[in-house]
Amino acid sequence: MTGVAGRPPCAIPDTPLAAAVPGIMTCVHCGFCLQACPTYLALGDENDSPRGRIMLMRALVEGELPISDESVRTHIDRCLGCRACETACPSGVPYGEMLEATRATLTRVKANPLLVRVLLWTFARRWPMRAALAATRLLRETRLPSLLSRLPGRIGFTMGMLSSTSPVFAASGYAARGTGARARVATLGGCVMESLCGHTNRATERVLAANDYALVEAPGQGCCGALHAHAGDAEGARSLARRNIAAFEKSGAELIAVNAAGCGAAMKEYGHLLSEDREWSARAAALAARVRDISELLAAAGPARGAVLPIVATYDAPCHLLHAQRLSAPPLVVLAAIPSLELVPLTDADQCCGSAGIFSLTESALSARVLAPKLDHIERTGATLVVSANPGCLMQIGAGLAQRGTGIRVAHVVDVLDASYAAAGTAGVGRPAGAAIP
C-alpha cells in the first residue's frame, strides 16, 4: 500500500486496522475525549486515553511501532470500549470500530489470554454455553453467592455479581393484554439474559404485549457476538451475526427488541460487521435497521401507565445505550410511566461502571477503580434501588454495592415497569390502580 497525502505507506496492509485508517485520520487530537474517558481519569496516562490510543494505532499503521509491541497491547487492552469518547468527539471519530479493528489485528500476532479464549469458545457454542450458565444459575439458587458477596477481593465480588442477577420483585401474576396492532416483534433471548435474568426476559414479553406489540418467536438465535467483536475475534462475531440474521429473518418480525444495551449496540452494527461479505452485507444492514432497544419500543407506545410503586430509585445509563446507541430519553420515559416512583438524579450517570463485558475479569483492578466513584455517587442519592438496562452493568454495580454492605438493590428498567403493571392487576394496565407495592 502506498502513502497518501504525504503519509508513509501502510506498514500492516491487509489487516483490520489498515482498513480503519480513514477513522484514525479523522482525529484532530483536540483532547475533548480526555475527561470523558474512565481509564484516563483513573490512571492519568495519555496512552490510556482515546487520543493516546489513536496515536498508538497510527504508529502501528505507519510502522513506528511493531504490532508485537507489548506496551501497545497493554494500553489497548485497558480500554473499556465504553465509547464515551464518541459522544464527546466533535469530529465524529468512529473509535469503537477502530478499537475492534486494532484488537483484531493484535490478536493475529498474539492470541488472547486463555481465560478469554475459553469464554469466547463457550459463548459461540450453544450447548457448552447453556451448560455453563445453567451450572452458574444453580450455584446462585443455593444462596451461597449472596452470603459470600461481602467478602473482600475477587471471590466476594464475583459472588456479588452472581447474586445481583436474582429478581428484586416477586414473580408477576398478571396477564398482559393488548391489541398486538402496533408491530410484530421478536425478542433477543441472549446468553446471560436468558440464563441468569430470565425473569427480565419474561417481563420484557409482558410489557411489550401490554403496550400492543404482537410477539413472534425466533428459534435458532443465539449469542449476539458482542464479546467476540470487543475481544478481537471478528470472524467469531460474524459467524454469530449470520446465525442471528437468519433466525430473525425467518421469524417474520418487523422489529427486534433487545433488553441488553451491549447486545443491542452490537446488533445495530451488524451492517458494519458484515460490510465486506457480499452474501450477507445487505441482509445484515436490513436486520440492523429493525433492531430496537426495549426502551425505544416502550417509549414509542407511551408507555401505558401502571400502578403506584413507592420506591426511591436512581438510574444509571449503560454506556452502550447512551454512547453507542445514543439513547438517553427512552428509559426515563419508561420510568416516568410509574406513578409515585421517585427518581433521584445520579451524578456522572454517563460515566462507565467498569463492567465492559469481560473487562471486570481480565482487568479486575482497573475495573474496580472505575467503579468506585460510581458507588460513592449512588450511596449519596439515598436511593434503595439502582435501575439500569444492561446485565453487565447491573451485575457490576450490584456486586460493588453488596461488597460495601449498602443494602441497595439493582433492577432492569423493564423489571420495574413490569412490577408496576403487576400491581395494577385487575384494575388494568394503563389506568392508575392506587395499589402500592410494599
Side-chain angles (χ1 to χ4, degrees):
M1 182 183 296
T2 59
V4 178
R7 296 201 307 270
C10 180
I12 48 173
D14 303 318
T15 63
L17 185 54
V21 166
I24 293 174
M25 303 312 297
T26 302
C27 178
V28 297
H29 318 298
C30 65
F32 284 132
C33 60
L34 297 182
Q35 294 305 310
C37 178
T39 54
Y40 177 76
L41 294 176
L43 301 173
D45 187 334
E46 175 79 14
N47 289 308
D48 290 311
S49 72
R51 181 173 67 178
R53 292 186 178 105
I54 291 172
M55 290 299 292
L56 293 175
M57 295 174 193
R58 182 168 179 170
L60 294 176
V61 170
E62 296 182 350
E64 294 180 13
L65 290 172
I67 58 175
S68 58
D69 190 303
E70 282 296 324
S71 64
V72 172
R73 181 69 180 259
T74 296
H75 295 301
I76 295 298
D77 283 349
R78 284 178 183 168
C79 182
L80 289 148
C82 69
R83 296 170 65 174
C85 54
E86 292 188 14
T87 302
C89 180
S91 302
V93 175
Y95 181 82
E97 295 176 5
M98 291 154 50
L99 176 66
E100 291 180 1
T102 304
R103 286 177 170 163
T105 299
L106 294 178
T107 54
R108 292 185 176 189
V109 176
K110 182 180 179 180
N112 281 314
L114 179 60
L115 172 62
V116 176
R117 299 201 305 273
V118 170
L119 286 171
L120 297 182
W121 183 91
T122 302
F123 276 80
R125 292 161 177 81
R126 235 185 231 112
W127 291 111
M129 178 189 70
R130 289 179 179 175
L133 289 173
T136 305
R137 186 172 62 250
L138 287 175
L139 174 60
R140 183 190 66 188
E141 298 308 313
T142 67
R143 310 300 295 172
L144 188 62
S146 180
L147 295 173
L148 299 178
S149 62
R150 292 190 63 177
L151 291 176
R154 291 306 305 168
I155 292 179
F157 195 85
T158 302
M159 292 296 102
M161 292 180 73
L162 183 53
S163 65
S164 295
T165 63
S166 299
V168 171
F169 302 99
S172 172
Y174 79 95
R177 300 182 183 89
T179 64
R182 192 171 292 276
R184 289 167 53 82
V185 177
T187 60
L188 176 73
C191 308
V192 172
M193 287 303 298
E194 184 60 35
S195 298
L196 299 180
C197 305
H199 56 279
T200 302
N201 278 1
R202 304 292 83 76
T204 296
E205 294 161 0
R206 286 190 293 268
V207 299
L208 282 172
N211 283 280
D212 297 328
Y213 289 101
L215 297 174
V216 297
E217 297 290 331
Q221 60 168 291
C223 175
C224 70
L227 292 180
H228 299 76
H230 299 335
D233 181 9
E235 193 45 55
R238 292 186 188 105
S239 177
L240 292 168
R242 294 185 191 103
R243 182 171 72 183
N244 282 334
I245 292 166
F248 285 111
E249 284 176 340
K250 291 177 183 177
S251 74
E254 298 169 81
L255 299 170
I256 295 91
V258 185
N259 57 18
C263 300
M267 293 183 70
K268 286 183 177 182
E269 293 170 358
Y270 275 177
H272 170 74
L273 181 66
L274 292 168
S275 61
E276 297 183 5
D277 187 322
R278 292 184 179 180
E279 180 183 351
W280 288 87
S281 59
R283 296 168 66 183
L287 187 282
R290 302 206 306 274
V291 175
R292 300 288 188 276
D293 183 75
I294 178 63
S295 66
E296 287 184 273
L297 294 178
L298 293 173
R305 288 172 64 81
V308 171
L309 199 66
I311 293 175
V312 179
T314 192
Y315 171 70
D316 186 68
C319 293
H320 279 82
L321 192 62
L322 182 63
H323 302 304
Q325 299 188 53
R326 302 297 175 95
L327 296 174
S328 58
L332 300 177
V333 172
V334 172
L335 294 174
I338 304 172
S340 296
L341 177 72
E342 183 181 349
L343 196 63
V344 183
L346 177 64
T347 300
D348 289 341
D350 59 336
Q351 285 285 330
C352 186
C353 67
S355 172
I358 58 176
F359 188 88
S360 60
L361 299 177
T362 59
E363 300 283 346
S364 57
L366 181 54
S367 175
R369 289 182 66 173
V370 172
L371 174 63
K374 183 162 300 279
L375 298 178
D376 293 339
H377 293 318
I378 289 171
E379 289 190 77
R380 293 189 190 108
T381 65
T384 59
L385 183 71
V386 178
V387 184
S388 194
N390 191 60
C393 303
L394 291 168
M395 293 169 71
Q396 174 88 346
I397 294 170
L401 293 171
Q403 219 166 34
R404 290 191 178 193
T406 65
I408 303 172
R409 302 290 299 278
V410 295
H412 196 286
V413 171
V414 164
D415 289 325
V416 186
L417 182 64
D418 183 62
S420 179
Y421 285 179
T426 56
V429 170
R431 299 185 298 277
I437 291 181

